[in-house]
Amino acid sequence: MENLKINKKSEQTTATYTKGGYRVEITYNVDKKTGGNIESINMSIYGDANGNYLGNANASSNGSELTYNISGVPQSKLSEVSALIEEVNSAIAANIASEAAE
């Protein structure tokens, strides 16, 4: 979770996740009625030495899990970016769980 930096918390939380040359700018919403389930996530993904924009990933809850749409990501980076998205999702879930425990 040390890679996830919360920038602002409110109804909509903004955060930045960095790892190995990638930077992900994140906005996510939590459904307060369900005790902290993620309602939606929007990610802008930047990579390479120059921090160029690679694409985005958006997720929304279908009631039981998040459904992701990934766009603009080059095929050569798809597996790396998919793993990065999973890490971001896990970091957000861990952060929400730790806040709920406080």
Side-chain angles (χ1 to χ4, degrees), residues 38-73:
I38 300 169
E39 207 170 63
S40 65
I41 304 174
N42 298 306
M43 303 180 201
S44 295
I45 303 162
Y46 302 86
D48 75 32
N50 299 319
N52 291 323
Y53 177 76
L54 285 178
N56 66 349
N58 301 308
S60 58
S61 175
N62 67 7
S64 59
E65 66 180 349
L66 290 171
T67 303
Y68 277 90
N69 292 310
I70 301 171
S71 63
V73 175

Side-chain angles (χ1 to χ4, degrees), residues 16-93:
T16 304
Y17 187 89
T18 54
K19 182 177 181 184
Y22 288 103
R23 184 181 91 246
V24 184
E25 296 296 330
I26 309 153
T27 303
Y28 66 92
N29 294 309
V30 176
D31 184 352
K32 305 292 185 207
K33 295 177 209 159
T34 62
N37 292 336
I38 300 169
E39 207 170 63
S40 65
I41 304 174
N42 298 306
M43 303 180 201
S44 295
I45 303 162
Y46 302 86
D48 75 32
N50 299 319
N52 291 323
Y53 177 76
L54 285 178
N56 66 349
N58 301 308
S60 58
S61 175
N62 67 7
S64 59
E65 66 180 349
L66 290 171
T67 303
Y68 277 90
N69 292 310
I70 301 171
S71 63
V73 175
Q75 184 177 1
S76 62
K77 299 278 188 182
L78 191 56
S79 62
E80 286 178 41
V81 168
S82 293
L84 184 67
I85 290 167
E86 184 61 35
E87 288 179 29
V88 168
N89 189 51
S90 295
I92 291 170

